[in-house]
Amino acid sequence: MVAGWFSGDGDDFRLLGTRCTQCASVFFPREDTHCRNPGCAGGELQEIPLSRHGRVWSYTDNHYRPPSPYVTDAELPWEPYALIAVELESERMVVLGQAVPGVTVADLAVGMEVEVVPGVLGEDAETTWTTWCWRPKEVRA
């Protein structure tokens, strides 16, 4: 888990971003040092929960094992997964993430409504690495 990028469980699960108090620009991943808007002289950055819902902006499938720091067991066979770019409902920004397990590119369409849910990136005997995933609204698992 990347500290400060998301919080909560179940229906309370949210991605966390930051908003500049001066220009209202929203950032994800979060920004904690300065406003990234080049037209803004900078303001205080406040943590905000981002929209839980959005629409598929684009998608693809990943057939290769990403390099480090991606957590994966090289001893296990690689399992492809769908990768989705989602335009968030309120912020109108695009956030990339994996589809929930079992959802493939054949299940996706541009414009489809999705929601952010907690996911497991990897785990071993001592640690579970958590992340966020996108789940089509029609899929309940």
Side-chain angles (χ1 to χ4, degrees), residues 78-125:
W78 174 248
E79 302 259 347
Y81 59 86
L83 194 60
I84 310 174
V86 174
E87 184 177 31
L88 298 180
E89 188 172 70
S90 296
E91 296 81 6
R92 312 299 295 178
M93 66 191 309
V94 176
V95 175
L96 193 64
Q98 292 183 17
V100 293
V103 170
T104 69
V105 294
D107 303 313
L108 301 171
V110 170
M112 173 184 278
E113 191 173 359
V114 293
E115 61 186 336
V116 68
V117 295
V120 174
L121 188 58
E123 55 191 329
D124 62 24

Side-chain angles (χ1 to χ4, degrees), residues 4-136:
W5 282 30
F6 51 86
S7 68
D9 292 311
D11 288 342
D12 293 327
F13 185 81
R14 301 291 287 264
L15 293 175
L16 299 174
T18 48
R19 174 180 284 130
C20 175
T21 59
Q22 185 167 331
C23 71
S25 293
V26 176
F27 307 106
F28 182 83
R30 62 182 298 127
E31 176 59 65
D32 292 314
T33 58
H34 66 280
C35 180
R36 291 185 215 148
N37 178 349
C40 179
E44 182 181 334
L45 297 165
Q46 296 179 326
E47 180 177 276
I48 59 165
L50 300 178
S51 299
R52 292 196 68 238
H53 302 100
R55 295 206 173 267
V56 174
W57 185 76
S58 185
Y59 58 92
T60 190
D61 51 359
N62 185 19
H63 285 280
Y64 70 94
R65 188 183 310 265
S68 184
Y70 187 88
V71 179
T72 182
D73 185 341
E75 300 297 317
L76 296 176
W78 174 248
E79 302 259 347
Y81 59 86
L83 194 60
I84 310 174
V86 174
E87 184 177 31
L88 298 180
E89 188 172 70
S90 296
E91 296 81 6
R92 312 299 295 178
M93 66 191 309
V94 176
V95 175
L96 193 64
Q98 292 183 17
V100 293
V103 170
T104 69
V105 294
D107 303 313
L108 301 171
V110 170
M112 173 184 278
E113 191 173 359
V114 293
E115 61 186 336
V116 68
V117 295
V120 174
L121 188 58
E123 55 191 329
D124 62 24
E126 295 87 35
T127 307
T128 298
W129 290 273
T130 56
T131 189
W132 66 93
C133 293
W134 296 109
R135 177 176 63 197

